[in-house]
Amino acid sequence: MALFCIYALLAIPLKSYSQPFIIMSVIPFGAVGAIFGHLIMGWDIVFFSILGIVALSGVVVNASLVLVHSINRIRGTGVPLEEAVKTAAVIRFRPILLTSVTTFLGLVPLMFEPSVPARPLVPMAIALGYGVLFASAVTLFLVPSGYVILDDITKLLRRRKPAASRFADGEQRAAPTP
């Protein structure tokens, strides 16, 4: 349900049905980071870990959204695709990195909190902290690559569409020449 809500909230302002998939493609990597975090810290995955992964989804989507928005904005000025993707990745590198590192460092005290009342929150902090760290590193490579791949697929479909619609309208195909 959360994934559907995230998709709907992304598709409306982006005015695109496909770009939210690029943005949301980092969510599984955040979950992988959360699982590795639990392995590194020696904790079992519990209900609060799952809640941390759900919260993590919103955080990593934000980093991807900002990157895709930057690419769209730069492309809107007439810059070619590859240059827009490179420029946006360079511009957004530092903010994404700083946000991820500060989020992780802010959760470190909770991850190592020994008190009994904090114990239920430790798995959530581990999932959120390690997931953000891992997903943000992946975001800087996956989102620009996904954007270029999506553009290639869109161009391919546009080239094929006019030929298919022309024949669907009843126009006869020319006989092949021997």
Side-chain angles (χ1 to χ4, degrees), residues 29-45 49 104 108 111-112 122-123 125-127 129-135:
F29 293 100
V32 168
I35 292 167
F36 281 141
H38 279 78
L39 290 173
I40 291 167
M41 299 290 292
W43 281 76
D44 292 333
I45 295 176
S49 304
F104 179 78
V108 166
M111 288 183 212
F112 292 104
V122 172
I126 291 170
Y130 281 94
V132 163
L133 212 56
F134 189 73

Side-chain angles (χ1 to χ4, degrees), residues 98-178:
L98 288 175
T99 302
S100 303
V101 170
T102 55
T103 301
F104 179 78
L105 292 176
L107 291 167
V108 166
L110 183 56
M111 288 183 212
F112 292 104
E113 178 61 42
S115 68
V116 175
R119 298 215 25 105
L121 299 176
V122 172
M124 187 183 306
I126 291 170
L128 187 57
Y130 281 94
V132 163
L133 212 56
F134 189 73
S136 295
V138 171
T139 296
L140 294 169
F141 297 102
L142 182 68
V143 171
S145 301
Y147 196 98
V148 172
I149 291 168
L150 178 65
D151 189 68
D152 288 343
I153 291 170
T154 303
K155 286 178 184 175
L156 177 69
L157 293 175
R158 284 187 185 150
R159 279 191 296 193
R160 297 177 100 189
K161 187 177 181 180
S165 64
R166 184 177 68 228
F167 296 127
D169 293 339
E171 184 178 313
Q172 296 289 328
R173 291 183 189 222
T177 56

Side-chain angles (χ1 to χ4, degrees), residues 80-96:
L81 173 68
E82 289 80 13
E83 188 178 332
V85 169
K86 288 177 192 175
T87 303
V90 168
I91 290 170
R92 299 307 311 167
F93 174 77
R94 187 182 315 171
I96 290 172

